[in-house]
Amino acid sequence: PARPPAGRTWLAACRKAIRPRAQVAPGIDAMGEKSAASSLEGALVGLIADEDTITGFLLAGVGNVDIRKKTNYLVVDSKTTVKQIDTAFKEFIIRDDIAIILISQNVANMIRSSIAKHTKAVPAVLEIPSKENPYDPNADSLLCRVKHIFGCS
């Protein structure tokens, strides 16, 4: 595959490729009228993960930058603080345009209390594995809730 220009990462190249675009509110068509479809039509996926995971999703077309230059992702690296991760998570759960939040399981473990406090169905919080950390079903908050509901141990 092609390599990014010297000194630039894939993530930087992807960020440059994403241009800000105006968003039509969920459930509102281009003419400003209520659409018959679900109010989640056109909703985004929020991402909180390592650079490789974010880059993959950006290359798949999941990335978005709105007119206020707000992104729907947070790249977590060794310099990212738990407070920054928690703040991004809290911003994503109150945004009307995000329907699902994908978070690397190792990152989710850092803010487990905030994830546990989120009880709404939308946005759904789904934990995903990362390259360095395999998926642990016992640590997945959603899977634990489902097991609890169905009485599984």
Side-chain angles (χ1 to χ4, degrees):
R3 301 305 259 159
R8 293 185 60 198
T9 65
W10 279 106
L11 184 60
C14 290
R15 282 183 180 153
K16 187 174 181 186
I18 298 173
R19 302 220 191 299
R21 56 183 176 217
Q23 294 289 311
V24 176
I28 306 294
D29 65 16
M31 299 301 290
E33 297 181 19
K34 279 248 187 226
S35 67
S38 166
S39 64
L40 296 177
E41 182 180 334
L44 301 173
V45 174
L47 301 165
I48 303 175
D50 60 277
E51 184 175 7
D52 290 340
T53 303
I54 297 289
T55 301
F57 279 99
L58 291 179
L59 290 171
V62 174
N64 183 65
V65 180
D66 66 12
I67 56 177
R68 297 178 317 265
K69 305 261 186 203
K70 287 278 202 179
T71 62
N72 64 325
Y73 57 89
L74 172 69
V75 177
V76 178
D77 58 19
S78 60
K79 298 174 188 167
T80 309
T81 65
V82 174
K83 184 177 180 178
Q84 289 172 312
I85 297 167
D86 196 46
T87 301
F89 177 75
K90 288 176 180 175
E91 286 176 5
F92 287 172
I93 61 174
I94 61 171
R95 282 179 54 174
D96 292 338
D97 60 342
I98 293 183
I100 298 172
I101 298 172
L102 299 179
I103 184 168
S104 291
Q105 195 171 49
N106 60 320
V107 176
N109 289 335
M110 296 179 198
I111 59 165
R112 184 63 61 199
S113 61
S114 292
I115 292 173
K117 289 176 188 171
H118 176 66
T119 57
K120 295 181 181 176
V122 176
V125 179
L126 303 176
E127 297 178 24
I128 60 174
S130 65
K131 204 160 102 174
E132 289 82 26
N133 301 80
Y135 176 74
D136 178 11
N138 296 322
D140 188 333
S141 60
L142 181 63
L143 189 58
C144 289
R145 287 180 189 178
V146 170
K147 284 181 178 180
H148 178 73
I149 290 170
F150 289 108
C152 301
S153 49

